[in-house]
Amino acid sequence: MTERFSNWDAAEHLHTREDTRLYIQACADEDPGDGSLIRAALNDVARSRNMAGLAREAGMSREGLYKALSPDGNPTFATVVRIVRALGLRLHIA
């Protein structure tokens, strides 16, 4: 019997604001300290929504948003804050 695997894409499972919040929180909790999981989570959330609309809301170009959230991206903290706000979320530090 051969096992079959398929690609799993978190963006396909983020349907509500609560899904988004919990997903980003889980990634923030597990982030190794370099922000890579948070950046990846924001990329997944952005792809689950209208990327062009989110970029506009964040005051960025669509290409700039893709670049900032790509695996090689290194967004500034200001960019992360703009994206989080454009998603209708808030940063909370406890």
Side-chain angles (χ1 to χ4, degrees):
M1 181 171 158
T2 304
E3 291 187 46
R4 292 182 179 254
F5 296 95
S6 61
N7 289 330
W8 188 85
D9 187 356
E12 295 174 3
H13 303 278
L14 300 171
H15 303 294
T16 67
R17 180 176 279 182
E18 184 68 2
D19 292 342
T20 298
R21 185 188 69 76
L22 291 171
Y23 180 61
I24 292 174
Q25 182 63 55
C27 289
D29 290 345
E30 296 298 321
D31 189 84
D34 62 1
S36 60
L37 280 180
I38 296 168
R39 184 212 32 81
L42 290 173
N43 184 28
D44 292 337
V45 171
R47 288 185 305 103
S48 76
R49 308 227 179 149
N50 177 341
M51 186 70 89
L54 179 61
R56 218 177 5 263
E57 191 72 28
M60 305 174 67
S61 69
R62 188 174 132 288
E63 295 78 16
L65 182 59
Y66 271 113
K67 183 177 178 183
L69 298 179
S70 73
D72 296 327
N74 189 17
T76 65
F77 186 70
T79 299
V80 170
V81 169
R82 289 194 333 244
I83 294 167
V84 168
R85 285 186 178 161
L87 290 169
L89 300 171
R90 295 179 316 163
L91 289 177
H92 176 81
I93 299 171

